[in-house]
mmCIF file with all atom_site columns, all heavy atoms in Angstrom:
data_model
loop_
_atom_site.group_PDB
_atom_site.id
_atom_site.type_symbol
_atom_site.label_atom_id
_atom_site.label_alt_id
_atom_site.label_comp_id
_atom_site.label_asym_id
_atom_site.label_entity_id
_atom_site.label_seq_id
_atom_site.pdbx_PDB_ins_code
_atom_site.Cartn_x
_atom_site.Cartn_y
_atom_site.Cartn_z
_atom_site.occupancy
_atom_site.B_iso_or_equiv
_atom_site.pdbx_formal_charge
_atom_site.auth_seq_id
_atom_site.auth_comp_id
_atom_site.auth_asym_id
_atom_site.auth_atom_id
_atom_site.pdbx_PDB_model_num
ATOM 1   N N   . ILE A 1 1  ? 0.848  -1.188 0.000   1.00 0.00 ? 1  ILE A N   1
ATOM 2   C CA  . ILE A 1 1  ? 0.000  0.000  0.000   1.00 0.00 ? 1  ILE A CA  1
ATOM 3   C C   . ILE A 1 1  ? 0.887  1.243  0.000   1.00 0.00 ? 1  ILE A C   1
ATOM 4   O O   . ILE A 1 1  ? 1.897  1.284  0.688   1.00 0.00 ? 1  ILE A O   1
ATOM 5   C CB  . ILE A 1 1  ? -0.973 -0.033 1.196   1.00 0.00 ? 1  ILE A CB  1
ATOM 6   C CG1 . ILE A 1 1  ? -2.207 0.766  0.897   1.00 0.00 ? 1  ILE A CG1 1
ATOM 7   C CG2 . ILE A 1 1  ? -0.349 0.481  2.447   1.00 0.00 ? 1  ILE A CG2 1
ATOM 8   C CD1 . ILE A 1 1  ? -3.344 0.466  1.864   1.00 0.00 ? 1  ILE A CD1 1
ATOM 9   N N   . LYS A 1 2  ? 0.567  2.170  -0.825  1.00 0.00 ? 2  LYS A N   1
ATOM 10  C CA  . LYS A 1 2  ? 1.324  3.417  -0.978  1.00 0.00 ? 2  LYS A CA  1
ATOM 11  C C   . LYS A 1 2  ? 2.749  3.170  -1.472  1.00 0.00 ? 2  LYS A C   1
ATOM 12  O O   . LYS A 1 2  ? 3.644  3.969  -1.218  1.00 0.00 ? 2  LYS A O   1
ATOM 13  C CB  . LYS A 1 2  ? 1.361  4.210  0.322   1.00 0.00 ? 2  LYS A CB  1
ATOM 14  C CG  . LYS A 1 2  ? 0.034  4.734  0.772   1.00 0.00 ? 2  LYS A CG  1
ATOM 15  C CD  . LYS A 1 2  ? 0.238  5.618  1.986   1.00 0.00 ? 2  LYS A CD  1
ATOM 16  C CE  . LYS A 1 2  ? -1.068 6.185  2.468   1.00 0.00 ? 2  LYS A CE  1
ATOM 17  N NZ  . LYS A 1 2  ? -0.865 7.092  3.579   1.00 0.00 ? 2  LYS A NZ  1
ATOM 18  N N   . ALA A 1 3  ? 2.977  2.077  -2.163  1.00 0.00 ? 3  ALA A N   1
ATOM 19  C CA  . ALA A 1 3  ? 4.332  1.726  -2.597  1.00 0.00 ? 3  ALA A CA  1
ATOM 20  C C   . ALA A 1 3  ? 4.929  2.813  -3.478  1.00 0.00 ? 3  ALA A C   1
ATOM 21  O O   . ALA A 1 3  ? 6.106  3.138  -3.346  1.00 0.00 ? 3  ALA A O   1
ATOM 22  C CB  . ALA A 1 3  ? 4.314  0.394  -3.340  1.00 0.00 ? 3  ALA A CB  1
ATOM 23  N N   . PHE A 1 4  ? 4.136  3.374  -4.379  1.00 0.00 ? 4  PHE A N   1
ATOM 24  C CA  . PHE A 1 4  ? 4.696  4.366  -5.292  1.00 0.00 ? 4  PHE A CA  1
ATOM 25  C C   . PHE A 1 4  ? 5.098  5.648  -4.560  1.00 0.00 ? 4  PHE A C   1
ATOM 26  O O   . PHE A 1 4  ? 5.970  6.387  -5.020  1.00 0.00 ? 4  PHE A O   1
ATOM 27  C CB  . PHE A 1 4  ? 3.720  4.695  -6.422  1.00 0.00 ? 4  PHE A CB  1
ATOM 28  C CG  . PHE A 1 4  ? 4.367  5.451  -7.540  1.00 0.00 ? 4  PHE A CG  1
ATOM 29  C CD1 . PHE A 1 4  ? 5.240  4.813  -8.411  1.00 0.00 ? 4  PHE A CD1 1
ATOM 30  C CD2 . PHE A 1 4  ? 4.133  6.796  -7.706  1.00 0.00 ? 4  PHE A CD2 1
ATOM 31  C CE1 . PHE A 1 4  ? 5.866  5.513  -9.435  1.00 0.00 ? 4  PHE A CE1 1
ATOM 32  C CE2 . PHE A 1 4  ? 4.750  7.506  -8.732  1.00 0.00 ? 4  PHE A CE2 1
ATOM 33  C CZ  . PHE A 1 4  ? 5.616  6.853  -9.599  1.00 0.00 ? 4  PHE A CZ  1
ATOM 34  N N   . ASP A 1 5  ? 4.479  5.908  -3.414  1.00 0.00 ? 5  ASP A N   1
ATOM 35  C CA  . ASP A 1 5  ? 4.802  7.116  -2.650  1.00 0.00 ? 5  ASP A CA  1
ATOM 36  C C   . ASP A 1 5  ? 6.223  7.105  -2.105  1.00 0.00 ? 5  ASP A C   1
ATOM 37  O O   . ASP A 1 5  ? 6.753  8.155  -1.763  1.00 0.00 ? 5  ASP A O   1
ATOM 38  C CB  . ASP A 1 5  ? 3.820  7.294  -1.478  1.00 0.00 ? 5  ASP A CB  1
ATOM 39  C CG  . ASP A 1 5  ? 2.393  7.542  -1.951  1.00 0.00 ? 5  ASP A CG  1
ATOM 40  O OD1 . ASP A 1 5  ? 2.222  7.846  -3.144  1.00 0.00 ? 5  ASP A OD1 1
ATOM 41  O OD2 . ASP A 1 5  ? 1.468  7.436  -1.136  1.00 0.00 ? 5  ASP A OD2 1
ATOM 42  N N   . VAL A 1 6  ? 6.838  5.935  -2.003  1.00 0.00 ? 6  VAL A N   1
ATOM 43  C CA  . VAL A 1 6  ? 8.181  5.850  -1.425  1.00 0.00 ? 6  VAL A CA  1
ATOM 44  C C   . VAL A 1 6  ? 9.256  5.469  -2.455  1.00 0.00 ? 6  VAL A C   1
ATOM 45  O O   . VAL A 1 6  ? 10.389 5.230  -2.094  1.00 0.00 ? 6  VAL A O   1
ATOM 46  C CB  . VAL A 1 6  ? 8.218  4.859  -0.230  1.00 0.00 ? 6  VAL A CB  1
ATOM 47  C CG1 . VAL A 1 6  ? 7.351  5.354  0.903   1.00 0.00 ? 6  VAL A CG1 1
ATOM 48  C CG2 . VAL A 1 6  ? 7.800  3.465  -0.666  1.00 0.00 ? 6  VAL A CG2 1
ATOM 49  N N   . VAL A 1 7  ? 8.881  5.436  -3.733  1.00 0.00 ? 7  VAL A N   1
ATOM 50  C CA  . VAL A 1 7  ? 9.846  5.111  -4.779  1.00 0.00 ? 7  VAL A CA  1
ATOM 51  C C   . VAL A 1 7  ? 10.835 6.261  -4.917  1.00 0.00 ? 7  VAL A C   1
ATOM 52  O O   . VAL A 1 7  ? 10.456 7.427  -5.009  1.00 0.00 ? 7  VAL A O   1
ATOM 53  C CB  . VAL A 1 7  ? 9.123  4.870  -6.126  1.00 0.00 ? 7  VAL A CB  1
ATOM 54  C CG1 . VAL A 1 7  ? 10.099 4.792  -7.277  1.00 0.00 ? 7  VAL A CG1 1
ATOM 55  C CG2 . VAL A 1 7  ? 8.283  3.623  -6.057  1.00 0.00 ? 7  VAL A CG2 1
ATOM 56  N N   . SER A 1 8  ? 12.094 5.929  -4.940  1.00 0.00 ? 8  SER A N   1
ATOM 57  C CA  . SER A 1 8  ? 13.140 6.926  -5.156  1.00 0.00 ? 8  SER A CA  1
ATOM 58  C C   . SER A 1 8  ? 13.068 7.423  -6.597  1.00 0.00 ? 8  SER A C   1
ATOM 59  O O   . SER A 1 8  ? 13.112 6.622  -7.532  1.00 0.00 ? 8  SER A O   1
ATOM 60  C CB  . SER A 1 8  ? 14.514 6.291  -4.895  1.00 0.00 ? 8  SER A CB  1
ATOM 61  O OG  . SER A 1 8  ? 15.528 7.086  -5.459  1.00 0.00 ? 8  SER A OG  1
ATOM 62  N N   . HIS A 1 9  ? 12.964 8.732  -6.767  1.00 0.00 ? 9  HIS A N   1
ATOM 63  C CA  . HIS A 1 9  ? 12.898 9.285  -8.115  1.00 0.00 ? 9  HIS A CA  1
ATOM 64  C C   . HIS A 1 9  ? 14.175 9.005  -8.893  1.00 0.00 ? 9  HIS A C   1
ATOM 65  O O   . HIS A 1 9  ? 14.125 8.749  -10.105 1.00 0.00 ? 9  HIS A O   1
ATOM 66  C CB  . HIS A 1 9  ? 12.619 10.789 -8.057  1.00 0.00 ? 9  HIS A CB  1
ATOM 67  C CG  . HIS A 1 9  ? 11.240 11.105 -7.571  1.00 0.00 ? 9  HIS A CG  1
ATOM 68  N ND1 . HIS A 1 9  ? 10.835 12.374 -7.262  1.00 0.00 ? 9  HIS A ND1 1
ATOM 69  C CD2 . HIS A 1 9  ? 10.159 10.319 -7.327  1.00 0.00 ? 9  HIS A CD2 1
ATOM 70  C CE1 . HIS A 1 9  ? 9.579  12.357 -6.860  1.00 0.00 ? 9  HIS A CE1 1
ATOM 71  N NE2 . HIS A 1 9  ? 9.158  11.119 -6.886  1.00 0.00 ? 9  HIS A NE2 1
ATOM 72  N N   . ASP A 1 10 ? 15.320 9.029  -8.212  1.00 0.00 ? 10 ASP A N   1
ATOM 73  C CA  . ASP A 1 10 ? 16.592 8.743  -8.892  1.00 0.00 ? 10 ASP A CA  1
ATOM 74  C C   . ASP A 1 10 ? 16.620 7.324  -9.443  1.00 0.00 ? 10 ASP A C   1
ATOM 75  O O   . ASP A 1 10 ? 17.041 7.091  -10.578 1.00 0.00 ? 10 ASP A O   1
ATOM 76  C CB  . ASP A 1 10 ? 17.778 8.957  -7.944  1.00 0.00 ? 10 ASP A CB  1
ATOM 77  C CG  . ASP A 1 10 ? 17.988 10.421 -7.595  1.00 0.00 ? 10 ASP A CG  1
ATOM 78  O OD1 . ASP A 1 10 ? 17.622 11.295 -8.415  1.00 0.00 ? 10 ASP A OD1 1
ATOM 79  O OD2 . ASP A 1 10 ? 18.513 10.698 -6.506  1.00 0.00 ? 10 ASP A OD2 1
ATOM 80  N N   . ILE A 1 11 ? 16.171 6.363  -8.636  1.00 0.00 ? 11 ILE A N   1
ATOM 81  C CA  . ILE A 1 11 ? 16.136 4.966  -9.089  1.00 0.00 ? 11 ILE A CA  1
ATOM 82  C C   . ILE A 1 11 ? 15.146 4.811  -10.235 1.00 0.00 ? 11 ILE A C   1
ATOM 83  O O   . ILE A 1 11 ? 15.425 4.143  -11.236 1.00 0.00 ? 11 ILE A O   1
ATOM 84  C CB  . ILE A 1 11 ? 15.794 4.023  -7.918  1.00 0.00 ? 11 ILE A CB  1
ATOM 85  C CG1 . ILE A 1 11 ? 16.942 4.015  -6.904  1.00 0.00 ? 11 ILE A CG1 1
ATOM 86  C CG2 . ILE A 1 11 ? 15.497 2.618  -8.422  1.00 0.00 ? 11 ILE A CG2 1
ATOM 87  C CD1 . ILE A 1 11 ? 16.623 3.280  -5.610  1.00 0.00 ? 11 ILE A CD1 1
ATOM 88  N N   . LEU A 1 12 ? 13.986 5.437  -10.111 1.00 0.00 ? 12 LEU A N   1
ATOM 89  C CA  . LEU A 1 12 ? 12.974 5.369  -11.165 1.00 0.00 ? 12 LEU A CA  1
ATOM 90  C C   . LEU A 1 12 ? 13.517 5.925  -12.481 1.00 0.00 ? 12 LEU A C   1
ATOM 91  O O   . LEU A 1 12 ? 13.355 5.315  -13.542 1.00 0.00 ? 12 LEU A O   1
ATOM 92  C CB  . LEU A 1 12 ? 11.717 6.136  -10.746 1.00 0.00 ? 12 LEU A CB  1
ATOM 93  C CG  . LEU A 1 12 ? 10.584 6.191  -11.756 1.00 0.00 ? 12 LEU A CG  1
ATOM 94  C CD1 . LEU A 1 12 ? 10.091 4.804  -12.105 1.00 0.00 ? 12 LEU A CD1 1
ATOM 95  C CD2 . LEU A 1 12 ? 9.448  7.048  -11.219 1.00 0.00 ? 12 LEU A CD2 1
ATOM 96  N N   . LEU A 1 13 ? 14.199 7.056  -12.412 1.00 0.00 ? 13 LEU A N   1
ATOM 97  C CA  . LEU A 1 13 ? 14.760 7.661  -13.617 1.00 0.00 ? 13 LEU A CA  1
ATOM 98  C C   . LEU A 1 13 ? 15.848 6.776  -14.242 1.00 0.00 ? 13 LEU A C   1
ATOM 99  O O   . LEU A 1 13 ? 15.932 6.647  -15.466 1.00 0.00 ? 13 LEU A O   1
ATOM 100 C CB  . LEU A 1 13 ? 15.304 9.054  -13.306 1.00 0.00 ? 13 LEU A CB  1
ATOM 101 C CG  . LEU A 1 13 ? 14.223 10.097 -12.994 1.00 0.00 ? 13 LEU A CG  1
ATOM 102 C CD1 . LEU A 1 13 ? 14.841 11.354 -12.405 1.00 0.00 ? 13 LEU A CD1 1
ATOM 103 C CD2 . LEU A 1 13 ? 13.396 10.411 -14.219 1.00 0.00 ? 13 LEU A CD2 1
ATOM 104 N N   . ARG A 1 14 ? 16.671 6.143  -13.395 1.00 0.00 ? 14 ARG A N   1
ATOM 105 C CA  . ARG A 1 14 ? 17.694 5.233  -13.928 1.00 0.00 ? 14 ARG A CA  1
ATOM 106 C C   . ARG A 1 14 ? 17.048 4.034  -14.612 1.00 0.00 ? 14 ARG A C   1
ATOM 107 O O   . ARG A 1 14 ? 17.516 3.570  -15.660 1.00 0.00 ? 14 ARG A O   1
ATOM 108 C CB  . ARG A 1 14 ? 18.628 4.780  -12.804 1.00 0.00 ? 14 ARG A CB  1
ATOM 109 C CG  . ARG A 1 14 ? 19.684 5.813  -12.449 1.00 0.00 ? 14 ARG A CG  1
ATOM 110 C CD  . ARG A 1 14 ? 20.832 5.227  -11.648 1.00 0.00 ? 14 ARG A CD  1
ATOM 111 N NE  . ARG A 1 14 ? 20.433 4.588  -10.411 1.00 0.00 ? 14 ARG A NE  1
ATOM 112 C CZ  . ARG A 1 14 ? 20.358 5.186  -9.220  1.00 0.00 ? 14 ARG A CZ  1
ATOM 113 N NH1 . ARG A 1 14 ? 20.674 6.456  -9.095  1.00 0.00 ? 14 ARG A NH1 1
ATOM 114 N NH2 . ARG A 1 14 ? 20.005 4.523  -8.153  1.00 0.00 ? 14 ARG A NH2 1
ATOM 115 N N   . LYS A 1 15 ? 15.980 3.508  -14.037 1.00 0.00 ? 15 LYS A N   1
ATOM 116 C CA  . LYS A 1 15 ? 15.285 2.372  -14.649 1.00 0.00 ? 15 LYS A CA  1
ATOM 117 C C   . LYS A 1 15 ? 14.650 2.770  -15.978 1.00 0.00 ? 15 LYS A C   1
ATOM 118 O O   . LYS A 1 15 ? 14.696 2.001  -16.943 1.00 0.00 ? 15 LYS A O   1
ATOM 119 C CB  . LYS A 1 15 ? 14.231 1.811  -13.698 1.00 0.00 ? 15 LYS A CB  1
ATOM 120 C CG  . LYS A 1 15 ? 14.845 1.018  -12.564 1.00 0.00 ? 15 LYS A CG  1
ATOM 121 C CD  . LYS A 1 15 ? 13.788 0.276  -11.785 1.00 0.00 ? 15 LYS A CD  1
ATOM 122 C CE  . LYS A 1 15 ? 14.425 -0.537 -10.704 1.00 0.00 ? 15 LYS A CE  1
ATOM 123 N NZ  . LYS A 1 15 ? 14.463 -1.945 -11.015 1.00 0.00 ? 15 LYS A NZ  1
ATOM 124 N N   . LEU A 1 16 ? 14.070 3.971  -16.020 1.00 0.00 ? 16 LEU A N   1
ATOM 125 C CA  . LEU A 1 16 ? 13.496 4.444  -17.282 1.00 0.00 ? 16 LEU A CA  1
ATOM 126 C C   . LEU A 1 16 ? 14.576 4.534  -18.358 1.00 0.00 ? 16 LEU A C   1
ATOM 127 O O   . LEU A 1 16 ? 14.360 4.140  -19.508 1.00 0.00 ? 16 LEU A O   1
ATOM 128 C CB  . LEU A 1 16 ? 12.829 5.810  -17.088 1.00 0.00 ? 16 LEU A CB  1
ATOM 129 C CG  . LEU A 1 16 ? 11.487 5.814  -16.363 1.00 0.00 ? 16 LEU A CG  1
ATOM 130 C CD1 . LEU A 1 16 ? 11.046 7.239  -16.064 1.00 0.00 ? 16 LEU A CD1 1
ATOM 131 C CD2 . LEU A 1 16 ? 10.427 5.092  -17.177 1.00 0.00 ? 16 LEU A CD2 1
ATOM 132 N N   . GLU A 1 17 ? 15.746 5.034  -17.970 1.00 0.00 ? 17 GLU A N   1
ATOM 133 C CA  . GLU A 1 17 ? 16.850 5.158  -18.927 1.00 0.00 ? 17 GLU A CA  1
ATOM 134 C C   . GLU A 1 17 ? 17.300 3.784  -19.425 1.00 0.00 ? 17 GLU A C   1
ATOM 135 O O   . GLU A 1 17 ? 17.557 3.593  -20.615 1.00 0.00 ? 17 GLU A O   1
ATOM 136 C CB  . GLU A 1 17 ? 18.011 5.917  -18.285 1.00 0.00 ? 17 GLU A CB  1
ATOM 137 C CG  . GLU A 1 17 ? 19.057 6.351  -19.270 1.00 0.00 ? 17 GLU A CG  1
ATOM 138 C CD  . GLU A 1 17 ? 20.072 7.312  -18.668 1.00 0.00 ? 17 GLU A CD  1
ATOM 139 O OE1 . GLU A 1 17 ? 20.158 7.436  -17.426 1.00 0.00 ? 17 GLU A OE1 1
ATOM 140 O OE2 . GLU A 1 17 ? 20.790 7.920  -19.471 1.00 0.00 ? 17 GLU A OE2 1
ATOM 141 N N   . LYS A 1 18 ? 17.377 2.808  -18.517 1.00 0.00 ? 18 LYS A N   1
ATOM 142 C CA  . LYS A 1 18 ? 17.759 1.440  -18.919 1.00 0.00 ? 18 LYS A CA  1
ATOM 143 C C   . LYS A 1 18 ? 16.736 0.823  -19.864 1.00 0.00 ? 18 LYS A C   1
ATOM 144 O O   . LYS A 1 18 ? 17.060 -0.063 -20.643 1.00 0.00 ? 18 LYS A O   1
ATOM 145 C CB  . LYS A 1 18 ? 17.917 0.547  -17.687 1.00 0.00 ? 18 LYS A CB  1
ATOM 146 C CG  . LYS A 1 18 ? 19.218 0.736  -16.956 1.00 0.00 ? 18 LYS A CG  1
ATOM 147 C CD  . LYS A 1 18 ? 19.349 -0.269 -15.837 1.00 0.00 ? 18 LYS A CD  1
ATOM 148 C CE  . LYS A 1 18 ? 20.699 -0.156 -15.179 1.00 0.00 ? 18 LYS A CE  1
ATOM 149 N NZ  . LYS A 1 18 ? 20.904 -1.155 -14.131 1.00 0.00 ? 18 LYS A NZ  1
ATOM 150 N N   . MET A 1 19 ? 15.489 1.301  -19.764 1.00 0.00 ? 19 MET A N   1
ATOM 151 C CA  . MET A 1 19 ? 14.426 0.769  -20.617 1.00 0.00 ? 19 MET A CA  1
ATOM 152 C C   . MET A 1 19 ? 14.286 1.547  -21.917 1.00 0.00 ? 19 MET A C   1
ATOM 153 O O   . MET A 1 19 ? 13.310 1.382  -22.645 1.00 0.00 ? 19 MET A O   1
ATOM 154 C CB  . MET A 1 19 ? 13.105 0.766  -19.852 1.00 0.00 ? 19 MET A CB  1
ATOM 155 C CG  . MET A 1 19 ? 13.092 -0.216 -18.710 1.00 0.00 ? 19 MET A CG  1
ATOM 156 S SD  . MET A 1 19 ? 11.503 -0.213 -17.917 1.00 0.00 ? 19 MET A SD  1
ATOM 157 C CE  . MET A 1 19 ? 11.569 -1.742 -17.015 1.00 0.00 ? 19 MET A CE  1
ATOM 158 N N   . GLY A 1 20 ? 15.259 2.407  -22.194 1.00 0.00 ? 20 GLY A N   1
ATOM 159 C CA  . GLY A 1 20 ? 15.273 3.088  -23.484 1.00 0.00 ? 20 GLY A CA  1
ATOM 160 C C   . GLY A 1 20 ? 14.645 4.467  -23.507 1.00 0.00 ? 20 GLY A C   1
ATOM 161 O O   . GLY A 1 20 ? 14.506 5.057  -24.575 1.00 0.00 ? 20 GLY A O   1
ATOM 162 N N   . ILE A 1 21 ? 14.259 4.985  -22.364 1.00 0.00 ? 21 ILE A N   1
ATOM 163 C CA  . ILE A 1 21 ? 13.712 6.335  -22.296 1.00 0.00 ? 21 ILE A CA  1
ATOM 164 C C   . ILE A 1 21 ? 14.894 7.276  -22.136 1.00 0.00 ? 21 ILE A C   1
ATOM 165 O O   . ILE A 1 21 ? 15.550 7.293  -21.095 1.00 0.00 ? 21 ILE A O   1
ATOM 166 C CB  . ILE A 1 21 ? 12.734 6.506  -21.109 1.00 0.00 ? 21 ILE A CB  1
ATOM 167 C CG1 . ILE A 1 21 ? 11.674 5.400  -21.090 1.00 0.00 ? 21 ILE A CG1 1
ATOM 168 C CG2 . ILE A 1 21 ? 12.113 7.888  -21.111 1.00 0.00 ? 21 ILE A CG2 1
ATOM 169 C CD1 . ILE A 1 21 ? 10.820 5.312  -22.310 1.00 0.00 ? 21 ILE A CD1 1
ATOM 170 N N   . THR A 1 22 ? 15.205 8.047  -23.176 1.00 0.00 ? 22 THR A N   1
ATOM 171 C CA  . THR A 1 22 ? 16.388 8.909  -23.161 1.00 0.00 ? 22 THR A CA  1
ATOM 172 C C   . THR A 1 22 ? 16.031 10.280 -23.730 1.00 0.00 ? 22 THR A C   1
ATOM 173 O O   . THR A 1 22 ? 14.903 10.515 -24.159 1.00 0.00 ? 22 THR A O   1
ATOM 174 C CB  . THR A 1 22 ? 17.532 8.296  -23.995 1.00 0.00 ? 22 THR A CB  1
ATOM 175 O OG1 . THR A 1 22 ? 17.078 8.137  -25.337 1.00 0.00 ? 22 THR A OG1 1
ATOM 176 C CG2 . THR A 1 22 ? 17.982 6.960  -23.446 1.00 0.00 ? 22 THR A CG2 1
ATOM 177 N N   . GLY A 1 23 ? 17.012 11.145 -23.743 1.00 0.00 ? 23 GLY A N   1
ATOM 178 C CA  . GLY A 1 23 ? 16.875 12.443 -24.397 1.00 0.00 ? 23 GLY A CA  1
ATOM 179 C C   . GLY A 1 23 ? 15.778 13.309 -23.813 1.00 0.00 ? 23 GLY A C   1
ATOM 180 O O   . GLY A 1 23 ? 15.620 13.430 -22.596 1.00 0.00 ? 23 GLY A O   1
ATOM 181 N N   . ILE A 1 24 ? 14.982 13.893 -24.708 1.00 0.00 ? 24 ILE A N   1
ATOM 182 C CA  . ILE A 1 24 ? 13.915 14.821 -24.304 1.00 0.00 ? 24 ILE A CA  1
ATOM 183 C C   . ILE A 1 24 ? 12.906 14.127 -23.394 1.00 0.00 ? 24 ILE A C   1
ATOM 184 O O   . ILE A 1 24 ? 12.446 14.708 -22.408 1.00 0.00 ? 24 ILE A O   1
ATOM 185 C CB  . ILE A 1 24 ? 13.212 15.410 -25.545 1.00 0.00 ? 24 ILE A CB  1
ATOM 186 C CG1 . ILE A 1 24 ? 14.190 16.308 -26.307 1.00 0.00 ? 24 ILE A CG1 1
ATOM 187 C CG2 . ILE A 1 24 ? 11.974 16.191 -25.157 1.00 0.00 ? 24 ILE A CG2 1
ATOM 188 C CD1 . ILE A 1 24 ? 13.676 16.769 -27.652 1.00 0.00 ? 24 ILE A CD1 1
ATOM 189 N N   . ALA A 1 25 ? 12.557 12.892 -23.703 1.00 0.00 ? 25 ALA A N   1
ATOM 190 C CA  . ALA A 1 25 ? 11.570 12.169 -22.892 1.00 0.00 ? 25 ALA A CA  1
ATOM 191 C C   . ALA A 1 25 ? 12.075 11.986 -21.459 1.00 0.00 ? 25 ALA A C   1
ATOM 192 O O   . ALA A 1 25 ? 11.344 12.241 -20.495 1.00 0.00 ? 25 ALA A O   1
ATOM 193 C CB  . ALA A 1 25 ? 11.246 10.816 -23.521 1.00 0.00 ? 25 ALA A CB  1
#
């Protein structure tokens, strides 16, 4: 419960980058 409220933004951004989200996105 409330798991997303405690997600580290830095970790989330690194995971997005590993999944191919780069540049402007």
Side-chain angles (χ1 to χ4, degrees):
I1 206 164
K2 294 186 179 183
F4 193 73
D5 295 345
V6 296
V7 169
S8 163
H9 291 171
D10 291 332
I11 293 171
L12 178 60
L13 290 168
R14 280 197 303 269
K15 286 190 178 255
L16 285 172
E17 193 170 15
K18 281 185 175 183
M19 292 183 163
I21 309 301
T22 60
I24 293 171

